[in-house]
Amino acid sequence: MEEHEKTFITLTIIGALIGLGQLLTGAEPITIKLFIGRVILGSATSVAAGAILIWIPDLSPLAITGLASALGIAGYQVIELWLKKRAITLLKGKFKQ
């Protein structure tokens, strides 16, 4: 397995663990839908940290992991809030007709 594949897998696992941690610390009841959604969002935002390699190609794996953790937490929150707002807007427009 090549280095970039190992990094991708590591970032995905970090994001999934962040999503699980946020799920377990929340006050909402845990459902399978919520579980899967948070794991996917956490993984996707953490893997997005790999895009920093476009600007800084020689970045160390530790720095990439730190960015992945930060994006996995902050990015996940922003994406979830945006999706909720978007869903509410779409549902309101749908019921007006």
Side-chain angles (χ1 to χ4, degrees):
M1 188 178 302
E2 293 185 31
E3 188 64 32
H4 67 277
E5 292 170 333
K6 290 178 186 177
T7 303
F8 176 79
I9 292 169
T10 301
L11 295 178
T12 303
I13 291 170
I14 288 170
L17 291 174
I18 289 170
L20 288 174
Q22 290 177 336
L23 178 69
L24 294 173
T25 59
E28 304 170 80
I30 299 174
T31 64
I32 191 72
K33 180 180 171 184
L34 190 59
F35 174 80
I36 292 171
R38 295 240 171 124
V39 167
I40 290 171
L41 278 173
S43 297
T45 53
S46 290
V47 170
I52 196 73
L53 290 173
I54 293 170
W55 291 291
I56 310 170
D58 297 327
L59 198 60
S60 74
L62 183 59
I64 295 170
T65 304
L67 285 171
S69 298
L71 285 175
I73 294 168
Y76 160 77
Q77 295 292 330
V78 171
I79 291 170
E80 185 179 30
L81 290 173
W82 181 81
L83 286 174
K84 284 181 181 179
K85 277 185 171 179
R86 185 78 178 144
I88 289 170
T89 304
L90 288 174
L91 289 175
K92 284 183 181 177
K94 191 174 189 177
F95 291 124
K96 285 183 181 179
Q97 296 175 351

